Amino acid sequence: MGRAFVYVVLGGGVAAGYAALEFARRGGYSRGELCIISEEAVAPYERPALSKGYLLPEDPSRLPKFHTCVGANDELLTTKWYKEQGIELVLGTRVISADVRRKTLLTATGETISYKTLIIATGARALKLEEFGISGSDAANICYLRNLEDADKLVNAMSSCSGGNAVVIGGGYIGMECAAALVTNKIKVTMVFPEKHCMGRLFTEKIAEYYESYYTLKGVTFTKGTVLTSFEKDSTGKVTSVILKDGNHLPADMVVVGIGIRANTSLFEGQLLMEKGGIKVNGQMQTSDSSVYAVGDVAAFPIKLFDGDIRRLEHVDSARRTARHAVAAILEPSKSRDVDYLPFFYSRVFTLSWQFYGDNVGEVIHYGDFTSNSPRFGAYWVSKGQITGAFLEGGDRDDYEALSVVVWRKTKVSDMSELERQGLAFAIQE
Ligand code: FAD
């Protein structure tokens, strides 16, 4: 049993949706030549919605509202759209092996799908507690959040937990966004993580302090510097409390685990070059096999701005951009330049909203109002006399645009105290 396509996109997440739109806009394929294979049962959607609109207690966002590419204020690609464009959606289908030399993929149902050009967009999966030697992830009230199924489980757990206690394991953006959603759903939250402060990979202590105080006012308790070791369960297998390494027992009606992700590379290990936990690609998003491209969370690609340093970014904007870049490189190789990407991350919680551009390396200075409930504050990172990164909470479009420009241009800084004094104005007047 088998089917043959010219172009196959493996994975049906954010990157796949933006790749599809780029194919359709460029029109470089005929009906039936392009397919997207996805383990998920639905057409590509904007994954960030799962920890934001999807978890709201009132008028929550539901599909088809957040299919790609609405997150970039672009067309809403429903199943009907794919049909109209002649793009085959092979949904609910897991690929269990890949043979790069033969250019074939084998699905869990035993079908062989062959391609001339493959775009790997398999994204990443949530790390499970079992990988840290802790069992019990399958309990009905332990939730992860990577896909729609996880989000539905979380919504169900929340609906039977109103007024109860949730423990959030992990202080990264999944933990922070889920904690905010739980509180909004009137659930008491304790966040547990081993680091000194939340968002340890990005936030400075001062920035983290603001969000932690804000969360505390919203009723969140922080238990830092320790980790979960095991659970107590009732006779039905439901978790009733979380046991921590420091000896504490936290009562729990539900648990949300956000302890990081791992790129889905396993199908290609030993066949393609890997780097930074992902599939290594060049500036065209092309892997070590010239017929295979990789995009989104799974791709480790050179960042020109960082002197060609290879990075694997786990953020939605990078998934969108790299997907579109790969399609352009595939369809018009002679016109395609190497990807030139400015790393950009964002998050929204409660009424807060921040954006970050660049790299958080070097010396850091802070500016703005860290005390208000509707704050506007930020930070610059400066290395070798140049801006390398910029963070801003509570900015408007023009503010963020200005920050992206100073990072993009590696704007020179001769006087750190003057930069601190000027704050956002430094970027705006540049
Ligand atoms: P994904 O969107 O994960 O898609 C991968 C797809 O591949 C999935 O459909 C998966 O089922 C499929 N797949 C994998 N293996 C196989 C296989 N063997 N066979 C078939 N199909 C397979 N980023 C931000 O910048 N800001 C945010 O606020 C933000 N919020 C987020 C909130 C949540 C809850 C999550 C989970 C992520 C968030 N992100 C955010 C990150 C962002 O969503 C990811 O960077 C983005 O989804 C990556 O796109 P992708 O296409 O590479 O991977």
Side-chain angles (χ1 to χ4, degrees):
M1 193 165 77
R3 275 189 282 178
F5 293 90
V6 178
Y7 305 108
V8 170
V9 180
L10 171 55
V14 171
Y18 284 78
L21 185 62
E22 192 68 24
F23 267 113
R25 294 241 163 103
R26 289 176 179 267
Y29 65 96
S30 303
R31 195 160 272 276
E33 282 186 349
L34 166 61
C35 87
I36 293 177
I37 310 172
S38 177
E39 199 180 353
E40 294 190 81
V42 295
Y45 57 87
E46 301 284 357
R47 204 162 297 280
L50 297 182
S51 55
K52 302 175 185 70
Y54 205 82
L55 303 183
L56 291 176
E58 270 158 44
D59 196 20
S61 185
R62 290 291 178 265
L63 288 174
K65 269 193 200 159
F66 60 94
H67 280 300
T68 54
C69 300
V70 290
N73 297 319
D74 213 320
E75 253 181 282
L76 177 77
L77 313 186
T78 58
T79 313
K80 187 167 160 253
W81 180 89
Y82 289 92
K83 220 177 234 153
E84 284 165 1
Q85 299 299 326
I87 300 173
E88 184 126 1
L89 279 180
V90 184
L91 300 178
T93 302
R94 181 170 177 75
V95 167
I96 53 168
S97 70
D99 187 330
V100 166
R101 209 173 43 82
R102 290 207 167 91
K103 301 190 178 186
T104 57
L105 305 171
L106 178 65
T107 70
T109 52
E111 187 181 13
T112 299
I113 293 179
S114 66
Y115 59 82
K116 287 202 169 116
T117 302
L118 174 67
I119 301 180
I120 304 169
T122 45
R125 64 178 176 80
L127 283 173
K128 292 280 158 82
L129 289 170
E130 279 68 12
E131 293 167 74
F132 297 85
I134 297 160
S135 58
S137 279
D138 51 348
N141 58 345
I142 296 189
C143 303
Y144 291 85
L145 188 53
R146 183 70 201 181
N147 56 35
L148 212 51
E149 218 177 295
D150 297 337
D152 285 334
K153 184 174 174 183
L154 183 50
V155 168
N156 278 339
M158 286 198 303
S159 68
S160 57
C161 189
S162 193
N165 294 301
V167 176
V168 173
I169 308 293
Y173 71 81
I174 294 289
M176 293 298 279
E177 292 190 5
C178 286
L182 288 159
V183 167
T184 309
N185 281 275
K186 301 197 169 18
I187 297 166
K188 295 189 254 334
V189 177
T190 303
M191 291 190 73
V192 177
F193 49 85
E195 296 87 5
K196 277 211 296 222
H197 61 73
C198 67
M199 296 291 294
R201 284 200 298 176
L202 175 63
F203 285 3
T204 64
E205 208 167 330
K206 188 174 168 76
I207 294 173
E209 218 170 73
Y210 177 84
Y211 291 96
E212 289 183 14
S213 308
Y214 190 98
Y215 272 56
T216 305
L217 285 175
K218 294 278 182 189
V220 175
T221 305
F222 286 88
T223 301
K224 301 190 266 187
T226 189
V227 290
L228 152 83
T229 55
S230 59
F231 298 107
E232 277 172 350
K233 293 185 177 177
D234 66 14
S235 57
T236 68
K238 270 184 125 180
V239 168
T240 53
S241 73
V242 167
I243 303 173
L244 304 180
K245 199 172 181 181
D246 66 9
N248 270 321
H249 288 217
L250 303 173
D253 300 301
M254 65 181 287
V255 177
V256 180
V257 182
I259 51 176
I261 61 173
R262 177 123 325 140
N264 290 320
T265 57
S266 61
L267 294 172
F268 301 95
E269 267 152 33
Q271 302 192 68
L272 300 174
L273 281 182
M274 300 283 155
E275 194 163 330
K276 300 269 164 76
I279 298 171
K280 186 179 181 185
V281 295
N282 62 18
Q284 309 290 315
M285 308 311 293
Q286 193 174 36
T287 70
S288 51
D289 181 293
S290 60
S291 308
V292 182
Y293 292 71
V295 295
D297 281 8
V298 79
F301 66 101
I303 309 276
K304 274 192 189 172
L305 189 70
F306 305 160
D307 302 323
D309 195 23
I310 304 278
R311 299 284 173 99
R312 195 175 63 73
L313 303 174
E314 300 170 348
H315 298 283
V316 72
D317 183 63
S318 154
R320 294 170 181 155
R321 300 288 184 95
T322 55
R324 300 185 90 149
H325 193 87
V327 174
I330 289 165
L331 295 178
E332 288 188 278
S334 60
K335 285 198 192 153
S336 179
R337 298 210 180 127
D338 282 350
V339 68
D340 194 1
Y341 182 65
L342 169 64
F344 159 63
F345 324 136
Y346 75 93
S347 180
R348 291 194 303 271
V349 285
F350 300 113
T351 54
L352 304 176
S353 169
W354 58 259
Q355 299 194 6
F356 172 80
Y357 295 88
D359 206 6
N360 57 336
V361 294
E363 198 181 333
V364 61
I365 65 101
H366 298 91
Y367 62 84
D369 178 8
F370 277 79
T371 56
S372 158
N373 259 346
S374 45
R376 199 151 171 263
F377 62 81
Y380 293 107
W381 283 258
V382 177
S383 178
K384 296 179 190 146
Q386 296 174 327
I387 303 261
T388 57
F391 173 95
L392 178 64
E393 164 63 52
D396 62 25
R397 238 172 109 156
D398 292 344
D399 299 335
Y400 290 122
E401 173 63 24
L403 288 180
S404 72
V405 170
V406 290
V407 178
W408 188 247
R409 289 190 186 145
K410 297 185 177 179
T411 304
K412 284 201 166 50
V413 175
S414 48
D415 183 344
M416 290 294 280
S417 48
E418 182 56 16
L419 177 67
E420 187 169 18
R421 197 191 60 74
Q422 288 190 17
L424 186 58
F426 175 86
I428 289 172
Q429 74 205 8
E430 266 299 309

